[in-house]
Amino acid sequence: MPACHLDRTAALRCKRSSMKCLILFSLLLGCRGESKPALIKGVSYGPVPLKHLAGGQSLLAQDDWMVEAAKPMWGERGRDDLHVMKQLGANMVRLYGNNPNQSHHSFLDKAHQLGMQVVPGMSDYPFIQMPDQKCMDTDYDCFNQSRDLYALNLETGFLTDSKEYHPALAYFIVINEPDLKMPPAATTTPGGPRQMVKAVVSALDGLLEAEKEANVSGILINFTATFSYAVCLACDELNYAPALGQMAILEDAMLHPEQYGYEPRNNVSEAYLTRWTQSFNTNNPARDLEPQFFSKYPARFPSTPVFVAEYHSPILAYLRPPMTLEEDLEQALSLANSSDLFLGIFFFQYQMAYWKGGSEENFGLFGLGDYRVAEMPYYGTTYDVWCLQPRVTSSTPDSSMSQVLTKVYEGPGLDYEFLCKPNPASVAISADGFRDIVSQGAARLAVFAKRVVEHLGAVVSSDSGLRSFSASMVNKSYADLVIAISHKPAWTSFSSSAACVADRTADAGQVGAAISWLCGHTPGFSCEVPESCASDAFSTGDWLFSRWYQQVGRDPLMDCNFGGAAIFASPALRGDTPCSARLRRLGTVLV
């Protein structure tokens, strides 16, 4: 939810029935005058690429799935997870791991392109995993740790060139379940809640400092700390209700930080009043939420919105009376729709966590099948990216969990038939790739044909023309398809300013490998790159691929491919690529 620069104290003091309060409240919730933001229909995303328990996540060097290296999972040339979530009807995705040294720009760009928003969070690293000077070692003062890591996040994709937040960003989770780790017995140990909220307040202060140092402008995102659904027995207030005791003491600490042994550098109280949203995780069914939580929440937090950051109860079939997943989800969203404060849910979770084993395997819309979609070089180890296998549970007797979620989220739905078959967006543009796709029908062939068009320096100007053309090609050969497109049919638009550049649908590792091959196997070709084009693999690829093609290229499909890392792209497709050298001829297409 975008934040407004308004003082929420007026809304806290006024009566909800007054016009002033209603106007303030609508502005605080929507920033545009509507009653509340769009209902959150989210998915929690933690797709560890392991199909077995042995070794667990310790086999992974990282668990940040927003990075370029994980593109074979979320990108369109891989398993296309972001698009899958969009087809389910999701409008937000929540993530966990966060390596601020790596760029998240491509992930955010792709989500924004799909009309989705992203909710990343600070990883556990600064709080409990940092080898030296983690928060638990600095008396729960997390200012320096959070400031330094968030400053890197702002540099590596969270901000645009104009120092505004990326439009895909909605919230940032300061910490996940601090009540279970800061300290581990925070909800039951005397003094534990005070240590917990000191960590959260100081971490928020560090984030505000990073924003200030980066000169962040424009509409600011909201922050949250996601609590567990535990009852905080050690809290002074609401110590009988799940999550509410933690939220109450946090609010008090935000408004009176000095009483909790912390002197903030920034106005954390104002940030709380104007930019804070509450959140919690739960595996309780929807029928518990009203009596246990929402019957008490509005009176205590009359103008602070809240969402459920992990939602899925695996015991629905064993309740009395039993419930189906569809009934439970409908009840949860109905509760959100009828509330001014409850913003929605994130379904937990996208993929089953094989590596955790035990009861954790009860969660996950998808398991992993036996068809390998792609290989994913990821921080020194190459993992197989397996296709998605929809899961059926006792609470979804007549369909899969993903089908139920699609119905409740009102999504367009998936083509389940093709989840574990070759993808027309990623197969090689070749006779072999054509054979893999043509048997899947005209609609799938149209995706492949569009890629051929775009690799020949053109764009599709008529979707209906593309569909008709593809239908006419189902009994033809790859050579027939390429030759027909090379004749520049009316449904295409060719450009005389096409250039051989790095393909943005490839991942940075793939482009880097192509650059290494080019510079190691082409004697006499200069691989010197100006500093302005050396900032990332794609800009470097633009410089080198375009100049190599200028010298020796003849066939765009053969000579501007580099194993799928390059594309002979029209300016209408590639946008502004200042490092490319344009070639003002199509060349000869060899088939």
Side-chain angles (χ1 to χ4, degrees):
M1 180 183 68
C4 294
H5 298 286
L6 297 174
D7 186 354
R8 192 181 288 173
T9 54
L12 284 167
R13 288 194 300 265
C14 71
K15 295 181 179 179
R16 290 295 308 278
S17 58
S18 72
M19 181 58 66
K20 178 181 178 181
C21 185
L22 291 174
I23 293 172
L24 277 172
F25 194 68
S26 66
L27 287 172
L28 284 162
L29 284 174
C31 293
R32 293 180 301 275
E34 67 258 30
S35 59
K36 67 185 291 189
L39 184 68
I40 294 176
K41 301 176 182 179
V43 173
S44 298
Y45 186 59
V48 174
L50 300 174
K51 293 177 67 175
H52 50 79
L53 179 62
Q57 198 171 12
S58 62
L59 293 174
L60 294 169
Q62 301 280 343
D63 65 345
D64 183 347
W65 310 119
M66 293 187 289
V67 295
E68 190 74 31
K71 205 171 185 178
M73 290 196 294
W74 54 260
E76 62 190 271
R77 289 264 295 273
R79 198 168 60 195
D80 210 7
D81 287 349
L82 277 173
H83 185 254
V84 169
M85 285 183 262
K86 180 67 174 179
Q87 294 299 105
L88 297 178
N91 56 17
M92 283 194 193
V93 53
R94 181 214 170 163
L95 298 106
Y96 298 84
N98 178 350
N99 181 349
N101 292 297
Q102 300 296 317
S103 174
H104 302 117
H105 196 85
S106 293
F107 185 92
L108 295 172
D109 283 350
K110 183 62 179 177
H112 184 57
Q113 178 189 338
L114 292 170
M116 297 180 67
Q117 290 190 292
V118 179
V119 183
M122 191 78 73
S123 73
D124 284 344
Y125 181 76
F127 300 105
I128 60 175
Q129 297 172 343
M130 188 179 288
D132 185 37
Q133 293 295 297
K134 57 182 175 287
C135 292
M136 295 183 73
D137 297 335
T138 56
D139 192 26
Y140 296 92
D141 183 340
C142 305
F143 175 84
N144 290 330
Q145 298 92 329
S146 66
R147 177 200 58 197
D148 295 347
L149 295 179
Y150 198 62
L152 289 172
N153 273 144
L154 298 178
E155 293 176 6
T156 56
F158 279 22
L159 296 184
T160 65
D161 291 341
S162 59
K163 299 295 184 180
E164 296 183 351
Y165 272 107
H166 193 289
L169 287 170
Y171 304 86
F172 186 81
I173 298 175
V174 178
I175 182 172
N176 183 53
E177 297 184 339
D179 48 335
L180 301 185
K181 58 196 170 202
M182 297 301 288
T187 59
T188 58
T189 303
R194 294 180 64 86
Q195 293 173 314
M196 172 189 70
V197 296
K198 179 181 177 182
V200 178
V201 171
S202 59
L204 174 63
D205 193 23
L207 269 55
L208 297 175
E209 186 73 10
E211 286 185 334
K212 184 169 63 178
E213 292 176 354
N215 295 314
V216 178
S217 62
I219 295 176
L220 304 176
I221 64 172
N222 273 16
F223 295 115
T224 187
T226 299
F227 292 105
S228 77
Y229 205 56
V231 174
C232 185
L233 298 174
C235 289
D236 294 332
E237 184 183 358
L238 293 168
N239 54 13
Y240 55 88
L244 287 168
Q246 297 93 304
M247 294 177 183
I249 191 172
L250 176 63
E251 177 173 277
D252 191 59
M254 289 286 189
L255 299 179
H256 310 286
E258 68 285 347
Q259 296 181 13
Y260 291 79
Y262 184 72
E263 296 291 337
R265 282 77 155 178
N266 300 277
N267 194 337
V268 294
S269 299
E270 180 184 17
Y272 177 81
L273 291 171
T274 59
R275 299 179 60 188
W276 193 262
T277 299
Q278 305 281 18
S279 61
F280 64 95
N281 300 328
T282 184
N283 60 10
N284 281 52
R287 71 184 192 185
D288 290 348
L289 296 184
E290 173 61 28
Q292 294 178 0
F293 185 90
F294 285 105
S295 63
K296 307 168 185 65
Y297 185 85
R300 179 58 182 81
F301 304 97
S303 62
T304 306
V306 60
F307 61 82
V308 182
E310 289 179 2
Y311 182 81
H312 177 206
S313 175
I315 62 168
L316 297 173
Y318 307 103
L319 299 175
R320 292 293 177 266
M323 296 182 69
T324 65
L325 179 63
E326 181 178 345
E327 291 170 335
D328 184 65
L329 290 172
E330 290 281 11
Q331 187 173 337
L333 292 189
S334 176
L335 184 60
N337 275 318
S338 63
S339 169
D340 287 331
L341 296 170
F342 184 16
L343 300 179
I345 64 173
F346 289 83
F347 187 87
F348 184 79
Q349 60 181 332
Y350 184 76
Q351 179 195 301
M352 185 170 76
Y354 293 86
W355 62 277
K356 289 184 178 179
S359 62
E360 290 290 338
E361 293 189 0
N362 293 325
F363 302 97
L365 292 165
F366 299 103
L368 299 178
D370 296 325
Y371 175 75
R372 187 175 66 189
V373 175
E375 291 185 339
M376 185 177 74
Y378 188 77
Y379 298 101
T381 302
T382 298
Y383 298 93
D384 292 320
V385 177
W386 301 102
C387 68
L388 300 172
Q389 192 170 65
R391 300 183 66 211
V392 176
T393 70
S394 56
S395 63
T396 57
D398 301 318
S399 58
S400 67
M401 283 194 286
S402 56
Q403 289 173 312
V404 169
L405 191 69
T406 302
K407 181 178 180 181
V408 176
Y409 277 7
E410 301 178 305
L414 293 172
D415 288 328
Y416 288 93
E417 176 186 355
F418 302 114
L419 286 178
C420 289
K421 291 184 178 180
N423 181 359
S426 61
V427 296
I429 297 180
S430 64
D432 289 341
F434 177 86
R435 281 192 294 270
D436 284 339
I437 300 304
V438 69
S439 61
Q440 298 179 15
R444 301 277 282 182
L445 184 58
V447 177
F448 180 87
K450 183 179 180 182
R451 289 179 63 208
V452 174
V453 170
E454 292 173 347
H455 278 71
L456 288 173
V459 293
V460 171
S461 56
S462 169
D463 289 337
S464 60
L466 171 64
R467 290 193 294 269
S468 297
F469 171 79
S470 300
S472 72
M473 286 286 141
V474 292
N475 295 314
K476 301 292 182 64
S477 68
Y478 173 68
D480 293 332
L481 181 140
V482 174
I483 291 171
I485 293 174
S486 299
H487 287 159
K488 303 181 180 179
W491 51 272
T492 64
S493 176
F494 279 75
S495 172
S496 61
S497 298
C500 184
V501 296
D503 191 340
R504 267 54 179 180
T505 65
D507 62 82
Q510 189 177 7
V511 175
I515 291 170
S516 296
W517 181 91
L518 176 62
C519 293
H521 292 81
T522 53
F525 177 72
S526 173
C527 281
E528 292 186 11
V529 179
E531 184 177 350
S532 60
C533 296
S535 59
D536 60 81
F538 293 100
S539 296
T540 302
D542 290 345
W543 177 272
L544 295 174
F545 298 159
S546 61
R547 280 154 181 78
W548 185 86
Y549 192 84
Q550 270 192 327
Q551 293 181 22
V552 302
R554 292 194 303 141
D555 176 3
L557 297 180
M558 297 292 290
D559 300 330
C560 181
N561 186 287
F562 294 101
I567 179 173
F568 189 75
S570 162
L573 178 68
R574 70 174 188 268
D576 182 24
T577 51
C579 293
S580 64
R582 299 176 183 177
L583 185 68
R584 297 186 178 277
R585 61 181 175 83
L586 174 60
T588 303
V589 178
L590 305 177
V591 295

